[in-house]
Amino acid sequence: MLLGGFDIVVIALVVFVILVLFAGIKTVPQGYRYTIERFGRYTRTLEPGLNLIVPFIERIGARMNVMEQVLDVPTQEVITKDNASVSADAVAFYQVLNAAQAAYQVSNLENAILNLTMTNIRSVMGSMDLDELLSNRDAINDRLLRVVDDAVQPWGIKVTRIEIKDIRPPSDLVDAMARQMKAEREKRAQILEAEGSRNAQILRAEGAKQSAILEAEGQREAAFREAEARERLAEAEAKATRMVSDAIAAGDVQAINYFVAQKYTEALASIGSASNAKIVLMPMEASSILGSLSGIGAIAKEVFGDDSNPPSPRPRQVPSRTTPPVNPFNQTPER
């Protein structure tokens, strides 16, 4: 079947309409923004989803990724404030907030951010000493983030994080730092040992002091109690002597005999219990000693009384004739 001229025109028109529809319908994926240019000039930004443009008049200018992206900063040499050479590398995270500014305010966005980050790493780390550089990594990250984020803000970029991955000093410097750290630890160990020894000596001195104080207090208490005991004993002896004196003043002869007998027995006990007395020579006869002891017993019964037998009347004393003591060493043999 042959097509006429009208049929060919209709078919061509249908194909053209289809091509126009395909050229005018644009689908933007999630996480991206498309810029639209009309005759080469930016007009608007397409959001994710289905969008329509004017075919042959408008076109897509730039396809910008608005998701957070990672930028690896290569290793670079940095000279610190105290002229120490170290190697450092980092990683940066950024996000496009304004697709039009990121597309038209800067050329080659990633390269611009990378060079800006490397330059500021050298500037920030070069203004610090090596010890400060190694111990204040968080402060370095904060300063880098603040400086770089302010620099890329006109580009519609937000730098979310900049992290220093590694700082590598030279090997000889690492060895010197290791020796320094060892010396510092030995110094701290010696200081702690000296402080421990000093504290131990202080504690021992305090213990000796407390012991001496307690011992002195104990001796003082013992002396006080001993003096008190002697005082009470003296008071008792004085009271006993006063009672005997009152009895003597009242004319009680038995009290005198009891007092003399008590002193007599105490003297015999002290003589017999002496450590250096092996043989005791008594200047009296044995019968006199026994008689004296019997008299002491009778006096005690009369003084303290006997509960079983009532006291009998005391017989009148008759003066007895005693035999004078005889010295055994001066006796002459009998003829």
Side-chain angles (χ1 to χ4, degrees):
M1 180 180 179
L2 296 176
L3 297 176
F6 179 76
D7 295 332
I8 294 173
V9 172
V10 171
I11 293 172
L13 184 60
V14 170
V15 172
F16 178 76
V17 171
I18 294 173
L19 292 176
V20 169
L21 291 176
F22 274 105
I25 298 174
K26 299 297 179 181
T27 302
V28 179
Q30 184 66 38
Y32 285 83
R33 300 291 187 274
Y34 291 175
T35 60
I36 300 300
E37 298 175 356
R38 178 178 297 174
F39 300 115
R41 182 179 180 182
Y42 167 79
T43 57
R44 68 182 189 276
T45 301
L46 299 183
E47 299 294 329
L50 188 64
N51 296 272
L52 296 175
I53 64 174
V54 179
F56 310 112
I57 298 176
E58 297 178 343
R59 68 181 183 89
I60 296 175
R63 294 174 172 85
M64 303 302 299
N65 186 351
V66 297
M67 295 181 289
E68 188 172 1
Q69 303 178 60
V70 181
L71 186 62
D72 192 11
V73 180
T75 303
Q76 56 182 330
E77 295 292 331
V78 178
I79 298 176
T80 62
K81 185 178 180 180
D82 52 354
N83 297 325
S85 178
V86 297
S87 300
D89 55 358
V91 59
F93 297 83
Y94 70 95
Q95 185 178 11
V96 176
L97 299 181
N98 192 317
Q101 290 180 349
Y104 302 110
Q105 293 292 334
V106 61
S107 177
N108 198 349
L109 178 63
E110 289 188 359
N111 189 29
I113 297 175
L114 179 61
N115 284 277
L116 185 62
T117 304
M118 294 174 64
T119 303
N120 283 279
I121 286 176
R122 287 192 294 268
S123 299
V124 172
M125 295 178 65
S127 62
M128 304 172 69
D129 294 333
L130 180 61
D131 294 337
E132 186 181 3
L133 187 68
L134 297 175
S135 59
N136 295 327
R137 186 170 297 188
D138 292 337
I140 297 173
N141 295 334
D142 293 338
R143 290 180 60 182
L144 284 173
L145 178 61
R146 184 172 61 253
V147 173
V148 175
D149 186 52
D150 291 340
V152 300
Q153 188 175 4
W155 302 342
I157 305 297
K158 173 64 178 177
V159 178
T160 56
R161 289 188 301 275
I162 295 180
E163 300 289 339
I164 300 296
K165 292 195 297 183
D166 192 14
I167 299 176
R168 293 182 298 274
S171 58
D172 55 347
L173 188 58
V174 172
D175 295 337
M177 293 171 61
R179 291 193 299 270
Q180 181 183 3
M181 180 180 62
K182 182 179 179 181
E184 288 292 335
R185 291 184 177 179
E186 291 179 353
K187 176 183 176 182
R188 288 197 297 266
Q190 292 176 359
I191 292 174
L192 292 176
E193 184 178 358
E195 290 180 353
S197 178
R198 185 190 64 179
N199 293 333
Q201 292 178 1
I202 291 174
L203 292 177
R204 284 195 295 268
E206 288 291 336
K209 176 183 176 182
Q210 294 296 329
S211 177
I213 291 174
L214 293 177
E215 184 177 359
E217 290 180 354
Q219 292 177 358
R220 184 184 65 178
E221 185 68 19
F224 176 77
R225 292 183 181 274
E226 184 179 359
E228 186 178 1
R230 289 197 303 268
E231 182 181 359
R232 291 184 179 179
L233 180 61
E235 290 178 357
E237 291 180 354
K239 185 176 181 181
T241 304
R242 186 169 55 252
M243 293 177 64
V244 171
S245 299
D246 293 341
I248 293 173
D252 191 355
V253 182
Q254 297 295 332
I256 299 174
N257 294 333
Y258 173 74
F259 185 74
V260 173
Q262 182 183 7
K263 297 299 181 181
Y264 185 74
T265 53
E266 290 178 357
L268 290 177
S270 62
I271 292 173
S273 62
S275 60
N276 57 353
K278 303 301 180 181
I279 298 175
V280 180
L281 299 177
M282 306 299 295
M284 60 188 68
E285 297 179 354
S287 60
S288 299
I289 296 173
L290 295 176
S292 299
L293 294 176
S294 300
I296 292 170
I299 291 172
K301 289 182 180 180
E302 291 180 2
V303 173
F304 296 104
D306 191 356
D307 296 337
S308 60
N309 297 323
S312 59
R314 184 177 59 183
R316 187 167 58 91
Q317 295 183 355
V318 179
S320 60
R321 185 177 181 181
T322 58
T323 305
V326 180
N327 191 349
F329 297 99
N330 295 329
Q331 292 180 0
T332 56
E334 294 181 359
R335 294 181 181 179

